[in-house]
Amino acid sequence: MNENRKYPFPEIDPDICKGCKLCIAACPKDVLVISEKLNSKGFHYSEYVGEGCIGCGNCYYTCPEPSAVTVYLKNYVPEEVS
Amino acid sequence: MAQKTVLRKPKGFIDVYKHKPGAEKDRTHYCPGCGHGILHKLIAEALEDYDIVEKTIVISPVGCSVFAYYYFDTGNIQVAHGRAPAVATAVSRANPDSVVISYQGDGDLAAIGGNNILQAANRGENVVVFFVNNAIYGMTGGQMAPTTLLGQKTTTTPYGRNPQTDGYPLQMCEIINQLTAPVFVTRTSLHDMPNIRKTRAAVRKGIKNAMDKKGFSFVEVLSMCPSGWKMDAVPAQEWIKENMLPRFPLGTLRDISEEAPAIERPVPVMDADEVKKILGYGAFSDSNLEKNPDAAFNKVALRVAGFGGQGIMSTGIALANVGMEYGYNVSWLPSYGPEMRGGTANCSVKIQGDTIGASECTEPNMIIAMNQPSLEKFEKILIPDGVIIYNSTLIDIEPTRRDVKVYNVPITGIADELGDTRFQSMVNVGAFAAVTGMFDPGEIQGLMSSLFAGKPESVIKLNEKAVQRGYNYVKDNFS
């Protein structure tokens, strides 16, 4: 994970995403888009545009795939890498 | 619980779906945009947040969520179609401290399992039911479900559901809400974020109720089936809003979770000896009676027959029980009409040293006939050299068979002399003992107190006497 990234932000596993677009519809800030690229399953996956996330968690809760979306919230403290 | 700093795959899920066959153990089998995944996640999150993953048992249904056990890191039983509430009942009763979740779809819950859900709800079982209503049979290919909307096209309603031929969409929340016992009945939807969050709250409340033993919670969730509806996921959410909400209005129909007292049920008796005692077989099985090596019979396939009320069944049960005391393998199979008394009745009894296969005696080597029609019917199937014991008090025509041994015993008369025709079955036992040599009447008498546990001493004594009389009659007249 890029330690310079600004919290909050979503992390979408491009390979797990099935491209259903529910997260895109649920995002109040319209900061998720469907990728032009295909993943290994042949889905155009969802991806974060890189800024504008407010950490509402909508994408997480609307995503039917348990491990596709992770949202690092504003108060998230990265674990120390020892 | 601490405030979340990250939203990630909840610990209620198995980390790697090791039970799932194939290579893709990192993702579910659900179609893109399927509502099951959303509800699964809400449940798994609640299990983690309440720290009850270890004490939760999910009963998974037949339907797309049949494989719920791939995903939830809980106990699981995958059950026959529609039977989740029945199995959840058993699991909950046997493990009252567990959190039991019945997860079901509309075909499973409202069609084949329609009665199961009503009975479990009516008993107020301490389970939470998550009812996924997507108005279609998803797994089997998009057939009409009980909740399919009027006019909705499915593979089995290609012109749209017609109430004249297909009835109306079942409103399960409203039906459940007619019952007295449920504590929480609510309908939510996954069609947009505010409603997904309401669903989250309902999921948590239902699970909390199960944790607190509040009784039966029913959470109906309107859910997308993009594949079955033949549309994409986002339009499917719109479809719920436009088409399902009018028929399935959202909201909580009942919530008495706060005031409902915690359920306290009597702990079921699981101990075998205790069960025997309750059923009146307390003293049985430690009599250590020895088989008679010189008995005329060591293998009996007996048909006892007569009118209902003539002690047919009790003769069979008594003989089977006594046989068991002597260490024989035994079976008893009743056959009777719907009426309790007066109809014809018969039973098959097998008593033998070796293993019993079928318990019905289609080729008996002995019959006890209590009335004329039974004698006529069953002497025909008796094997050659078999034995007929018949009730000469009521039967005045002799058997027609000449290749068998016949004992005419005034069974009803002997019982009547003792004061009650109900002693007939014990007269039969005595006669049986005399004919076969398998049982000693003195030893059988010792078993009377356990056979008739709970009956007055005088009745036990008379039964002992009946055995002796039946035995003596055969010995005195046929030796």
Side-chain angles (χ1 to χ4, degrees):
Chain A
M1 190 186 310
N2 184 343
E3 286 175 26
N4 298 322
R5 292 181 82 167
K6 222 174 106 188
Y7 296 99
F9 66 90
E11 194 173 69
I12 298 169
D13 186 328
D15 213 40
I16 299 287
C17 175
K18 290 173 174 171
C20 73
K21 306 192 186 99
L22 287 178
C23 58
I24 295 172
C27 178
K29 292 292 174 188
D30 295 327
V31 291
L32 298 175
V33 293
I34 206 76
S35 173
E36 287 179 8
K37 291 184 208 151
L38 294 169
N39 66 14
S40 62
K41 292 282 286 179
F43 292 122
H44 288 286
Y45 52 89
S46 176
E47 59 185 2
Y48 179 42
V49 297
E51 58 184 333
C53 174
I54 56 170
C56 69
N58 278 8
C59 54
Y60 171 81
Y61 284 111
T62 198
C63 176
E65 201 47 50
S67 54
V69 178
T70 305
V71 180
Y72 297 91
L73 300 173
K74 201 174 167 184
N75 53 359
Y76 180 77
V77 182
E79 285 158 30
E80 298 263 328
V81 181
S82 55
Chain B
M1 69 205 76
Q3 204 191 346
K4 291 177 201 274
T5 62
V6 60
L7 302 172
R8 58 156 63 102
K9 180 180 170 183
K11 299 272 187 256
F13 287 120
I14 298 172
D15 190 27
V16 176
Y17 307 135
K18 59 188 174 190
H19 305 302
K20 187 169 179 255
E24 297 178 334
K25 298 188 192 302
D26 54 358
R27 65 199 72 187
T28 68
H29 70 288
Y30 293 117
C31 306
C34 174
H36 277 302
I38 302 176
L39 183 58
H40 278 25
K41 193 189 271 182
L42 297 176
I43 293 169
E45 185 198 28
L47 299 183
E48 177 184 354
D49 290 350
Y50 293 143
D51 196 19
I52 53 166
V53 178
E54 288 298 315
K55 58 185 273 191
T56 298
I57 301 167
V58 175
I59 313 297
S60 48
V62 169
C64 293
S65 50
V66 64
F67 296 128
Y69 60 88
Y70 288 169
Y71 311 121
F72 291 114
D73 198 11
T74 60
N76 180 286
I77 303 178
Q78 193 283 310
V79 299
H81 206 185
R83 276 36 174 169
V87 176
T89 297
V91 171
S92 164
R93 294 285 182 106
N95 307 279
D97 294 326
S98 295
V99 176
V100 182
I101 294 174
S102 178
Y103 189 107
Q104 302 179 261
D106 43 51
D108 186 86
L109 182 139
I112 193 167
N115 188 36
N116 285 248
I117 191 66
L118 289 185
Q119 304 302 334
N122 191 45
R123 291 189 303 265
E125 296 300 339
N126 187 43
V127 301
V128 51
V129 177
F130 293 117
F131 169 42
V132 178
N133 178 0
N134 55 21
I136 206 160
Y137 278 87
M139 182 186 74
T140 47
Q143 293 83 359
M144 189 193 90
T147 50
T148 292
L149 298 169
L150 292 185
Q152 184 182 341
K153 287 183 180 175
T154 69
T155 55
T156 46
T157 54
Y159 302 113
R161 183 176 188 165
N162 176 357
Q164 301 299 321
T165 51
D166 313 320
Y168 293 85
L170 279 182
Q171 296 160 302
M172 290 311 296
C173 268
E174 286 76 359
I175 292 172
I176 298 287
N177 196 37
Q178 294 301 310
L179 304 171
T180 309
V183 294
F184 182 45
V185 181
T186 193
R187 182 185 287 122
T188 65
S189 170
L190 302 176
H191 74 272
D192 61 17
M193 263 331 288
N195 283 289
I196 289 174
R197 289 189 189 275
K198 280 184 191 167
T199 303
R200 180 174 182 262
V203 165
R204 297 169 91 85
K205 176 158 225 158
I207 289 175
K208 194 78 177 37
N209 282 349
M211 289 167 67
D212 296 341
K213 303 184 185 180
K214 292 287 189 173
F216 190 85
S217 298
F218 188 82
V219 180
E220 175 174 343
V221 180
L222 306 185
S223 175
M224 299 79 80
C225 181
S227 301
W229 299 349
K230 303 183 182 3
M231 57 181 80
D232 287 341
V234 176
Q237 286 187 313
E238 272 305 303
W239 195 87
I240 290 181
K241 196 172 160 187
E242 283 173 19
N243 298 284
M244 291 186 79
L245 295 191
R247 179 67 186 182
F248 302 113
L250 303 182
T252 297
L253 285 78
R254 183 188 310 186
D255 185 4
I256 52 167
S257 318
E258 287 295 320
E259 53 269 39
I263 287 174
E264 279 186 46
R265 289 204 160 92
V267 180
V269 176
M270 309 295 265
D271 180 71
D273 288 335
E274 190 67 17
V275 170
K276 278 190 197 165
K277 210 167 136 192
I278 293 167
L279 294 175
Y281 294 98
F284 265 67
S285 82
D286 29 313
S287 45
N288 297 320
L289 295 179
E290 303 264 331
K291 290 183 188 132
N292 175 10
D294 303 323
F297 285 80
N298 57 20
K299 185 167 184 170
V300 172
L302 168 69
R303 214 55 187 249
V304 190
F307 293 128
Q310 281 189 308
I312 310 301
M313 299 307 159
S314 46
T315 297
I317 292 171
L319 287 173
N321 273 301
V322 173
M324 198 156 47
E325 294 305 305
Y326 278 87
Y328 288 102
N329 290 322
V330 301
S331 68
W332 169 77
L333 184 73
S335 167
Y336 46 82
E339 65 280 52
M340 289 297 282
R341 286 179 189 164
T344 61
N346 76 81
C347 66
S348 293
V349 179
K350 287 195 173 177
I351 305 173
Q352 60 193 63
D354 46 349
T355 308
I356 294 173
S359 48
E360 187 180 6
C361 301
T362 48
E363 294 179 335
N365 64 357
M366 186 180 298
I367 62 171
I368 299 178
M370 298 297 286
N371 63 17
Q372 183 73 35
S374 300
L375 177 62
E376 287 169 7
K377 180 174 178 189
F378 287 103
E379 73 167 324
K380 288 181 197 148
I381 62 169
L382 190 65
I383 61 167
D385 300 321
V387 169
I388 295 175
I389 301 173
Y390 76 90
N391 182 10
S392 59
T393 313
L394 300 183
I395 302 172
D396 45 19
I397 301 171
E398 287 191 3
T400 56
R401 291 280 293 267
R402 292 291 170 260
D403 59 340
V404 297
K405 192 146 191 217
V406 177
Y407 298 83
N408 54 333
V409 181
I411 297 162
T412 307
I414 293 173
D416 207 34
E417 274 172 35
L418 288 168
D420 195 326
T421 54
R422 281 181 292 179
F423 295 123
Q424 287 170 118
S425 49
M426 289 300 120
V427 175
N428 285 342
V429 171
F432 178 93
V435 169
T436 62
M438 291 173 101
F439 312 145
D440 179 86
E443 288 172 348
I444 302 174
Q445 286 178 358
L447 299 171
M448 287 296 142
S449 54
S450 49
L451 255 181
F452 295 96
K455 292 270 162 52
E457 185 63 24
S458 56
V459 172
I460 293 172
K461 283 272 169 256
L462 281 167
N463 276 300
E464 288 175 4
K465 211 175 256 184
V467 171
Q468 192 65 52
R469 292 271 179 95
Y471 184 86
N472 290 350
Y473 188 90
V474 171
K475 284 285 174 198
D476 294 348
N477 293 281
F478 300 98
S479 294

